[in-house]
């Protein structure tokens, strides 16, 4: 009888050492690395954020206004004439494309996470091989320009017309960068200075 009790106690002791710590570990999630912050701010970068600057004529975009989208890897995906099409930049490199002291506003889409739009941009930016602004079908990846590309990311990634104007891939129009700032579909999260 004593032998049997000591065996049961030994099994209980072994289970205590092996099973209980495993159960405790299963309830504790590993710490996730926090998202980076926009330079000089306490605003956390989020996948799918749209960055807008009201660039002046003669700057790197050669038009008034420029937009890009924060990808799932926190690169900024955009279409620019200096690259002749789609490109990706770190936030630091993206800032160098803007004049020193220029304000870059941050917008978040209200009706979707933005993750699928950001992922679409990451997967398709290299397909935009020519930069050209012209009224054209919105479904064409090339030629392309910054605001059309971001619109495409939301349309094909999230299934949403980001402008809220019932645009489709067959629409024949121009999407303006400022449209993201005026659209009630986007929330202004703040800004940072390049």
């Amino acid at each position: 009888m004593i032998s049997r009790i000591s065996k049961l106690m030994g099994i209980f002791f072994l289970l205590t050492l092996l099973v209980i710590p495993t159960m405790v570990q299963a309830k504790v999630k590993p710490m996730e690395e926090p998202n980076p912050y926009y330079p000089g701010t306490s605003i956390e970068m989020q996948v799918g954020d749209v960055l807008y600057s009201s660039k002046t004529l003669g700057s790197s975009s050669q038009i008034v206004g420029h937009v890009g989208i924060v990808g799932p890897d926190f690169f900024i995906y955009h279409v620019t004439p200096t690259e002749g099409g789609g490109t990706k930049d770190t936030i630091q490199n993206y800032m160098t494309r803007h004049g020193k002291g220029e304000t870059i506003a941050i917008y978040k889409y209200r009706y979707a996470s933005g993750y699928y739009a950001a992922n679409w941009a990451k997967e398709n930016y290299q397909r935009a091989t020519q930069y050209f602004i012209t009224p054209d079908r919105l479904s064409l990846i090339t030629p392309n320009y910054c605001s059309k590309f971001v619109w495409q990311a939301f349309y094909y990634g999230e299934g949403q017309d980001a402008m809220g104007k019932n645009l489709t891939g067959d629409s024949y129009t121009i999407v303006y960068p400022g449209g993201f700032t005026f659209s009630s579909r986007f929330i202004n999260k703040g800004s940072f200075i390049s």
Side-chain angles (χ1 to χ4, degrees):
M1 181 81 164
I2 292 177
S3 168
R4 188 175 199 161
I5 291 174
S6 51
K7 279 184 181 180
L8 287 173
M9 287 183 70
I11 291 171
F12 177 75
F13 180 72
L14 187 61
L15 286 173
T16 303
L17 288 176
L18 297 175
V19 174
I20 292 176
T22 304
M23 290 170 56
V24 170
Q25 287 176 349
K27 291 184 179 181
V28 178
K29 290 175 64 176
M31 289 185 61
E32 294 181 17
E33 193 169 317
N35 291 354
Y37 291 89
Y38 288 104
T41 75
S42 60
I43 303 169
E44 188 176 290
M45 289 180 77
Q46 291 181 314
V47 174
D49 282 352
V50 173
L51 305 182
Y52 169 80
S53 63
S54 58
K55 299 174 83 56
T56 56
L57 289 170
S59 64
S60 66
S61 71
Q62 300 175 358
I63 60 168
V64 177
H66 185 70
V67 290
I69 185 169
V70 177
D73 50 7
F74 296 104
F75 279 95
I76 313 306
Y77 292 90
H78 58 121
V79 175
T80 177
T82 57
E83 302 298 326
T87 192
K88 72 176 186 177
D89 284 315
T90 63
I91 190 67
Q92 290 77 21
N93 195 56
Y94 187 76
M95 288 170 53
T96 66
R97 295 179 181 272
H98 298 78
K100 188 168 177 62
E102 189 173 337
T103 299
I104 301 172
I106 308 155
Y107 289 88
K108 190 70 178 170
Y109 193 64
R110 290 180 188 262
Y111 304 113
S113 70
Y115 174 82
Y116 295 106
N119 195 57
W120 185 93
K122 177 184 176 191
E123 297 299 320
N124 289 280
Y125 79 98
Q126 291 180 316
R127 294 179 53 209
T129 58
Q130 295 176 335
Y131 179 92
F132 191 67
I133 301 172
T134 184
D136 211 339
R137 276 195 338 226
L138 292 180
S139 63
L140 297 178
I141 298 286
T142 201
N144 215 321
Y145 51 94
C146 67
S147 44
K148 177 182 171 184
F149 181 73
V150 173
W151 180 89
Q152 289 171 332
F154 280 94
Y155 187 75
Y156 294 111
E158 301 283 352
Q160 302 277 327
D161 168 20
M163 297 294 100
K165 295 182 177 180
N166 296 317
L167 299 175
T168 69
D170 290 329
S171 295
Y172 190 88
T173 189
I174 292 178
V175 176
Y176 294 95
F180 292 91
T181 67
F182 299 124
S183 174
S184 63
R185 294 174 173 249
F186 286 87
I187 301 166
N188 185 314
K189 292 176 48 177
S191 62
F192 61 100
I193 305 297
S194 66

